[in-house]
């Protein structure tokens, strides 16, 4: 009897000791990694749980933020692999609060038991389960644009800042990471663009269609010429590019005339009325779609040339003497000098600087006419020819007694008095003004001297250079000596 009690007690002790040892060695950890799902309030996931200890096991696992779940069945040796890893499929529920980008909690094996009665806390750090909100990006409205470039208007959902335009198959984006990136292409057409936004495990996109209609360009030219400033017709040639006719346009002469019109063909002639040389430019052009040309595509100008020369015969002037040189300013075409005065002769009628001679002094008008391919213009110059004064002395030598006056009579020709006679007496320059053409030069030198004539100038400033000399021979006055006075007796 005593032996039986001892055996029963030993069995109970051994059984209790073995059970206690196994519970202390039990542990479990989820090793399958963090879990991310996209906008899924009830997700079915596969978890890999690695156990420590010998099967069978029962465990408690947190599958929602506020509750744990006990495994329905025990895990036996056949349920784990060689690394004691158990695979289980679980349903996890987690809703995302309104306006939040995500919601998450820790999925964790909290306790483990071998008998369902005695539970042991695990060391499982758990894995993070995150439910991400699906973003709602907006690529903006479809674009119908003139030109070959447009600014996009993509708007991301506030739930994330991870968004961009997908690289287009055609064209370029200035900055794909900007919602308002500019998009440019090389040719007209319809293009699709995709605006993508990511939020954790979620990715969404929105598409737009961009229609580029291009823009026209135009150039202007002319071969028209006019003669003078009277109203005359001229033709402007317009060339348009772009496939969408008709083209409406406006032209300007930069001053007071504006021309508008419509062209149905890419080459168009426009008639204008001009007065003299006129330069036209294209103000604006629109194509059949209403798309305007860019300013840089309207840079040419067309000048209708005025063939009429800007004839200039030179300024009126006074000529000293009966010969001079003309000074017309040549513009264009061929010039010719003419005069109605028979007294005038020209050395070279087609030379703007021709020499001109007259037979007598007077005022003469000469005409300079330029002919530019049949378009003529004339201008006149008035020249006052003044005969150069001359002086003739009746004698050039005089012989006087000391103290007497030598007088040289002269006659001045030219009839343009008064005159200024310039000469040198010794080393001293002298000037005497004369009103009469017939007069005389008087001098009383104390000794023989030579008077050097230098110039003669009339009232118009016309000057004649003189080289003549006047010679005065002066005899010294004798000094007789009668001796001393004396008294004489007698008669």
């Amino acid at each position: 009897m005593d032996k039986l009690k001892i055996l029963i007690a030993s069995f109970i002790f051994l059984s209790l000791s073995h059970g206690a040892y196994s519970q202390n060695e039990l542990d479990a950890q989820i090793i399958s990694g963090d879990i991310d799902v996209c906008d899924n309030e009830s997700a079915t996931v596969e978890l890999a749980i690695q156990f420590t200890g010998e099967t069978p096991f029962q465990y408690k696992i947190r599958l929602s933020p506020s509750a744990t779940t006990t495994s329905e069945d025990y895990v036996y040796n056949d349920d784990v692999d060689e690394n004691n890893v158990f695979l289980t499929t679980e349903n996890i529920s987690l809703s995302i609060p309104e306006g939040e980008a995500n919601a998450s909690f820790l999925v964790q094996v909290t306790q483990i038991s071998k008998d369902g009665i005695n539970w042991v806390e695990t060391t499982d750090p758990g894995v993070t389960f995150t439910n991400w909100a699906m973003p709602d990006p907006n690529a903006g409205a479809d674009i119908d644009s003139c030109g070959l470039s447009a600014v996009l208007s993509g708007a991301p959902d506030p739930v994330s800042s991870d968004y961009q335009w997908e690289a287009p198959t055609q064209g370029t984006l200035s900055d794909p990471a900007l919602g308002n990136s500019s998009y440019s292409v090389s040719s007209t057409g319809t293009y699709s663009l995709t605006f993508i936004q990511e939020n954790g495990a979620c990715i969404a996109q929105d598409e737009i269609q961009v229609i580029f209609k291009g823009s026209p360009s135009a150039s202007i030219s002319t071969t028209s010429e006019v003669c003078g400033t009277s109203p005359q017709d001229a033709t402007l040639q317009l060339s348009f590019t772009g496939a969408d006719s008709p083209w409406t346009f406006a032209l300007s002469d930069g001053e007071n005339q504006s021309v508008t019109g419509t062209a149905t063909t890419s080459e168009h002639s426009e008639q204008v009325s001009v007065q003299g040389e006129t330069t036209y430019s294209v103000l604006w052009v629109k194509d059949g779609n209403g798309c305007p040309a860019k300013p840089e595509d309207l840079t040419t100008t067309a000048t209708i040339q005025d063939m009429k020369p800007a004839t200039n015969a030179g300024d009126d002037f006074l000529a000293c003497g009966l010969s001079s040189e003309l000074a017309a300013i040549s513009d264009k075409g061929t010039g010719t000098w003419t005069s109605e005065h028979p007294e005038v002769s020209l050395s070279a009628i087609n030379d703007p600087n021709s020499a001109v001679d007259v037979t007598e002094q007077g005022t003469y008008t000469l005409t300079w006419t330029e002919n530019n391919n049949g378009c003529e213009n004339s201008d006149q110059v008035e020249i006052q020819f003044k005969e150069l004064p001359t002086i003739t002395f009746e004698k050039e030598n005089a012989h006087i007694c000391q103290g007497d006056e030598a007088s040289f009579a002269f006659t001045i020709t030219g009839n343009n008095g008064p005159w200024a006679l310039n000469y040198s007496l010794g080393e001293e320059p002298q000037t005497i003004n004369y009103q009469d053409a017939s007069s005389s030069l008087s001098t009383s030198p104390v000794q023989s001297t030579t008077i050097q004539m230098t110039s003669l100038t009339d009232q118009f400033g016309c000057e004649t250079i003189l080289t003549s000399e006047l010679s005065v021979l002066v005899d010294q006055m004798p000094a007789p000596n009668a001796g001393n006075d004396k008294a004489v007796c007698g008669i």
Side-chain angles (χ1 to χ4, degrees), residues 121-457:
E121 299 292 330
T122 71
T123 62
D124 184 15
V127 296
T128 300
F129 176 88
T130 304
N131 188 12
W132 296 89
M134 177 68 77
D136 184 22
N138 183 358
D142 290 339
I143 297 174
D144 190 344
S145 175
C146 294
L148 297 175
S149 181
V151 176
L152 306 176
S153 56
D157 192 314
V159 298
S160 80
S161 58
D162 186 3
Y163 57 87
Q164 64 177 355
W165 289 98
E166 186 178 62
T169 57
Q170 293 177 289
T172 57
L173 293 163
S174 63
D175 189 346
L178 291 178
N180 60 346
S181 170
S182 64
Y183 175 51
S184 302
V185 296
S186 59
S187 59
T188 59
T190 301
Y191 300 85
S192 296
L193 289 176
T194 302
F195 189 54
I196 300 173
Q197 185 173 10
E198 295 186 33
N199 182 39
C202 296
I203 182 169
Q205 64 185 40
D206 190 27
E207 290 188 355
I208 58 168
Q209 298 292 315
V210 182
I211 300 174
F212 287 117
K213 296 183 291 191
S215 60
S217 65
S219 62
I220 185 172
S221 62
T222 185
T223 58
S224 291
E225 297 173 336
V226 295
C227 181
T229 57
S230 61
Q232 297 165 74
D233 291 334
T235 302
L236 300 173
Q237 302 295 333
L238 295 169
S239 296
F240 300 94
T241 61
D244 299 304
S245 63
W247 296 274
T248 55
F249 59 86
L251 312 176
S252 173
D253 65 359
E255 294 183 1
N256 53 19
Q257 185 179 17
S258 180
V259 178
T260 58
T262 300
T264 57
T265 58
S266 60
E267 299 294 328
H268 176 75
S269 297
E270 187 72 18
Q271 300 297 315
V272 292
S273 177
V274 298
Q275 294 176 282
E277 183 165 303
T278 309
T279 298
Y280 279 90
S281 61
V282 183
L283 286 179
W284 54 261
V285 171
K286 291 182 180 180
D287 62 18
N289 293 318
C291 291
K294 294 181 289 186
E296 59 266 30
D297 292 332
L298 302 174
T299 57
T300 59
T301 59
T303 299
I304 300 165
Q305 298 287 344
D306 185 358
M307 299 294 290
K308 188 173 184 178
T311 305
N312 186 346
D315 295 330
D316 297 340
F317 65 96
L318 183 146
C320 292
L322 302 182
S323 296
S324 187
E325 186 177 278
L326 299 170
I329 300 173
S330 183
D331 182 33
K332 50 193 171 185
T334 302
T336 303
W337 285 107
T338 58
S339 176
E340 296 180 355
H341 302 282
E343 300 89 349
V344 173
S345 61
L346 295 156
S347 64
I349 62 172
N350 299 121
D351 183 355
N353 303 116
S354 173
V356 56
D357 298 288
V358 295
T359 56
E360 59 184 43
Q361 76 171 13
T363 300
Y364 300 89
T365 300
L366 287 86
T367 302
W368 175 248
T369 302
E370 288 180 312
N371 186 313
N372 184 30
N373 293 328
C375 185
E376 287 189 348
N377 194 21
S378 297
D379 189 35
Q380 292 182 328
V381 61
E382 186 176 85
I383 308 171
Q384 295 183 59
F385 285 94
K386 298 299 179 182
E387 184 178 352
L388 284 171
T390 63
I391 186 168
T392 303
F393 288 93
E394 293 181 2
K395 63 180 181 178
E396 295 183 351
N397 298 291
H399 189 181
I400 63 172
C401 183
Q402 186 180 26
D404 292 339
E405 183 179 76
S407 180
F408 296 92
F410 60 79
T411 300
I412 298 175
T413 62
N415 198 30
N416 295 317
W419 300 269
L421 178 61
N422 302 292
Y423 61 93
S424 294
L425 184 60
E427 298 295 329
E428 295 296 325
Q430 306 286 328
T431 300
I432 299 179
N433 294 318
Y434 294 96
Q435 296 290 332
D436 298 326
S438 296
S439 190
S440 63
L441 171 64
S442 298
T443 183
S444 299
V446 296
Q447 60 185 12
S448 296
T449 188
T450 298
I451 303 172
Q452 178 65 56
M453 299 293 108
T454 56
S455 66
L456 180 63
T457 305

Side-chain angles (χ1 to χ4, degrees), residues 59-181:
Y59 59 91
K60 293 182 180 180
I61 187 169
R62 181 180 292 111
L63 296 177
S64 68
S66 58
T68 58
T69 300
T70 302
S71 60
E72 294 182 358
D73 300 318
Y74 280 85
V75 178
Y76 293 98
N77 192 56
D78 291 342
D79 298 322
V80 299
D81 61 14
E82 65 274 11
N83 296 315
N84 231 21
V85 175
F86 172 65
L87 299 178
T88 180
T89 300
E90 303 291 348
N91 187 66
I92 300 178
S93 298
L94 180 63
S95 59
I96 304 170
E98 184 70 27
E100 296 294 324
N102 61 69
S104 63
F105 75 99
L106 202 62
V107 178
Q108 185 181 38
V109 177
T110 57
Q111 293 179 316
I112 189 170
S113 174
K114 289 185 65 65
D115 57 11
I117 299 173
N118 298 301
W119 293 90
V120 177
E121 299 292 330
T122 71
T123 62
D124 184 15
V127 296
T128 300
F129 176 88
T130 304
N131 188 12
W132 296 89
M134 177 68 77
D136 184 22
N138 183 358
D142 290 339
I143 297 174
D144 190 344
S145 175
C146 294
L148 297 175
S149 181
V151 176
L152 306 176
S153 56
D157 192 314
V159 298
S160 80
S161 58
D162 186 3
Y163 57 87
Q164 64 177 355
W165 289 98
E166 186 178 62
T169 57
Q170 293 177 289
T172 57
L173 293 163
S174 63
D175 189 346
L178 291 178
N180 60 346
S181 170

